[in-house]
Each structure stands twice: as C-alpha cells, then as structure tokens.
Amino acid sequence: MSHPEKFLLAGVMGWPVMHSRSPLLHNYWLEKHGLIGRYVPLAVKVERLEKALRALPALGFSGCNLTIPHKLEALKIVDEVHEEARRIGAVNCIIVRPDDSLYGVNNDGWGYIENVLERAPGWRADAGPIVVIGAGGGARAVVVALLDRGAPEIQLVNRTASRAETLREQIGGPIKVIPWADRHRALNGAAMLVNTTSQGMVGQPPLDLSLDQLPVGALVSDIVYTPLDTPLLAAARRRGNPSVDGLGMLLHQARPAFKAWFGVLPEVTPELRKMIEATL
Ligand SMILES: NC(=O)c1ccc[n+]([C@@H]2O[C@H](COP(=O)([O-])OP(=O)(O)OC[C@H]3O[C@@H](n4cnc5c(N)ncnc54)[C@H](OP(=O)(O)O)[C@@H]3O)[C@@H](O)[C@H]2O)c1
C-alpha cells in the first residue's frame, strides 16, 4: 500500500474550542477535494499558547485558526504579521512556512466582503456613508475591510464611546465617531448599516436601534449568525431594505486559510451552507 507524501493537518486553537464550527467546515473541504488530512480542535489555554504554536511545525501542522483571546495573544508570538492583521489588531489564522516560521494573518475582513458580494451582487463600498454599530473585534475587521474597499465615510457608533475613539485612532481613515444617543439619527442618508455588536444574538436582547430614518435602498448587514435571522435583519426586511446575514462571513474567511494550508481555494456551496446552518 502506498503512503501519501504528507498527511495534511491544521486546527483551531482555543479554550474552550469544542463549539467551533471550523472542523466541520475544513474537513468537508478536505474530503470534497480528495485531500488526505484532518482539521482538529486543539484545546489550548492562553498561557500555553506560545509553546503550542511553536510545536505546530514539528507536529506536521500547516497552520491553525485561533479563537478569542488567542487571536490577540498570537499577534505578539508569531514571527511575521500581515499588515491587515496588524491594523485589525488580531490574528485569526497562522500559516507554518517552509522554514518553520509562523505567519499571522486575519481573513475576517475578506470573509465579510466576500459574503456581502455573494448575497448582494452589485454592492459597492463607495456607494455612500456606512454606519457601523459596535467597536469590538468584529467591528475592527469589518471597518478595515470596508475602508480598503473604498468606503468614503464610516460613521462609527458604540455604546462605549472611548472604544470607538480608540478604533478610529488606531485604524485611521475617514471614520467619524457618533455618540450612542445619536445612533437613530445617524442612519439618515446611510448607504449601508452594519451591526457588529453582540445584540440580537441568542440570549441577548435585540439591538436597540430604530430604522425609521434609514433609506429603504440601504443594505443592512449583521455579523451575528446565531440566530441567522436576527431581529435587526427581520426589521430591515419588513420595511423593504435588502439584507445580508452573518453566516457567510464565517464560511468565507475560511477559504483563504484552506488555500494557504492545503493549496486549493474552496467554494462556499449551498450544500456546505446548509450543513453549517443545521448546527446553529
Ligand atoms: N460572522 C462572523 O464570522 C463573526 C465574526 C466575528 C464576530 N461575530 C459576531 O459578532 C458579535 C460581536 O463579536 P466581537 O468579537 O466583536 O465581540 P466584542 O469584541 O466583545 O465586542 C462586542 C460589541 O458589542 C457591544 N455591546 C455589547 N453589549 C451591548 C449592549 N448591551 N448594548 C450595545 N452594545 C453592546 C460592545 O460595546 P461596548 O464596547 O460598549 O461594550 C462591542 O461594541 C458576536 O455576536 C460574534 O459572534 C461574527
């Protein structure tokens, strides 16, 4: 019996990590492309992250994904950080290079844009001002991606204003911080609205935002994907706004990671989406 030259291996490092949908996703693609390998959950506490990451080359791993708070810690550990990951302030994917060095990238912003383009063909970032609600980790990836895509103005609204100010200072570009109390009014004239807060997620109240002043043509996007149909998206649809859910961001961010580790850029097929939706 002949043996494959290399058993392809990658994983997701976090604590806890069992809830991650990444193994399902990557193992689906490994099988689909006839590649011999496995993507595994790796339960690693943050204080042991450096040792675990440094062990990846010897264990034969092509790389790994990271969950919070490992995403932030890894930034300090890897040998080189991609410029976009540096601006976002987090690494969500590590690539083991041929010389065993570790390269940190962040594909969340790419995944966000690919999902919007898939679900709202013809969408353009430069169509007008974009209101982004939230200033956490998800917001940072979304804001960087929208700016790089040509957004003329980001109106950033966060419950804690200082966090929005920090994001603006660190990322730079045409970002305007709007007080939380003015969030309803900020929607007037917006070309797009993005929720990056945890509001609307299972177990959380809906986002406290009136859509009354949002133009009916504005695209409404939510990065929350549990549930898939958040109260915000349902409200947008009821008044006729086009909308994009958050699951595709998760699915698409995995594609460049798979390509970097295993050499093939996989597709987000309806079958794959259905399989992951069934786990939500
Ligand atoms: N689709 C995807 O692939 C994807 C990727 C990343 C994240 N997400 C989802 O995005 C959501 C946020 O994740 P994250 O990593 O950005 O979290 P995070 O860094 O903890 O940020 C949470 C954000 O929610 C805001 N928030 C929390 N409670 C609030 C409340 N009661 N009222 C108003 N704002 C509130 C926070 O505001 P303060 O600063 O005032 O606390 C902050 O802006 C989660 O549901 C996560 O699952 C999805």
Side-chain angles (χ1 to χ4, degrees):
M1 188 180 144
S2 73
H3 292 279
E5 203 172 287
K6 195 173 177 197
F7 185 76
L8 302 167
L9 206 50
V12 53
M13 251 183 225
W15 187 278
V17 80
M18 296 317 289
H19 68 275
S20 171
R21 287 171 181 91
S22 295
L24 199 56
L25 191 56
H26 286 281
N27 286 324
Y28 167 90
W29 282 329
L30 280 168
E31 204 167 301
K32 181 134 194 139
H33 290 281
L35 297 167
I36 298 168
R38 205 74 197 146
Y39 182 103
V40 292
L42 299 160
V44 175
K45 287 189 173 162
V46 75
E47 58 271 23
R48 308 191 81 169
L49 182 64
E50 181 156 14
K51 275 194 179 144
L53 288 177
R54 290 292 168 204
L56 287 175
L59 292 169
F61 276 72
S62 304
C64 70
N65 286 124
L66 299 158
T67 66
I68 289 170
H70 298 51
K71 283 184 179 193
L72 307 177
E73 285 303 310
L75 200 61
K76 301 176 226 156
I77 298 169
V78 295
D79 301 298
E80 197 188 333
V81 178
H82 187 273
E83 190 253 338
E84 188 175 342
R86 177 81 61 201
R87 283 165 69 216
I88 293 171
V91 159
N92 85 331
C93 168
I94 290 177
I95 298 152
V96 174
R97 295 193 288 203
D99 65 355
D100 288 356
S101 64
L102 305 176
Y103 185 42
V105 302
N106 192 315
N107 299 319
D108 280 344
W110 190 86
Y112 176 74
I113 298 290
E114 283 293 300
N115 180 43
V116 171
L117 288 171
E118 183 201 309
R119 313 295 281 185
W123 168 81
R124 293 179 61 107
D126 60 2
I130 300 175
V131 177
V132 174
I133 315 279
R140 296 180 71 97
V142 166
V143 167
V144 166
L146 289 172
L147 289 174
D148 287 355
R149 201 75 203 183
E153 182 178 289
I154 304 275
Q155 302 195 350
L156 187 64
V157 188
N158 195 47
R159 179 183 59 173
T160 309
S162 58
R163 207 168 174 197
E165 282 297 345
T166 304
L167 188 157
R168 185 182 63 80
E169 280 161 25
Q170 291 178 349
I171 293 176
I175 301 174
K176 215 164 112 187
V177 173
I178 308 280
W180 182 247
D182 295 343
R183 62 194 180 284
H184 313 292
R185 223 173 326 155
L187 302 185
N188 195 343
M192 183 178 189
L193 164 67
V194 191
N195 174 47
T196 70
T197 74
S198 49
Q199 300 298 277
M201 214 176 144
V202 173
Q204 296 286 330
L207 178 67
D208 177 12
L209 181 67
S210 158
L211 300 185
D212 289 353
Q213 298 190 50
L214 185 71
V216 174
L219 180 66
V220 178
S221 134
D222 203 328
I223 71 163
V224 170
Y225 58 86
T226 47
L228 207 51
D229 197 24
T230 62
L232 173 69
L233 294 181
R237 230 181 17 251
R238 275 197 302 273
R239 64 196 296 282
N241 287 84
S243 63
V244 176
D245 68 61
L247 179 60
M249 176 179 176
L250 176 78
L251 304 178
H252 281 283
Q253 63 75 32
R255 295 172 58 217
F258 191 91
K259 167 88 164 76
W261 300 326
F262 307 132
V264 182
L265 184 66
E267 289 305 317
V268 172
T269 58
E271 181 192 52
L272 173 64
R273 220 186 126 86
K274 235 164 118 188
M275 186 181 84
I276 302 293
E277 267 180 34
T279 71
L280 298 181

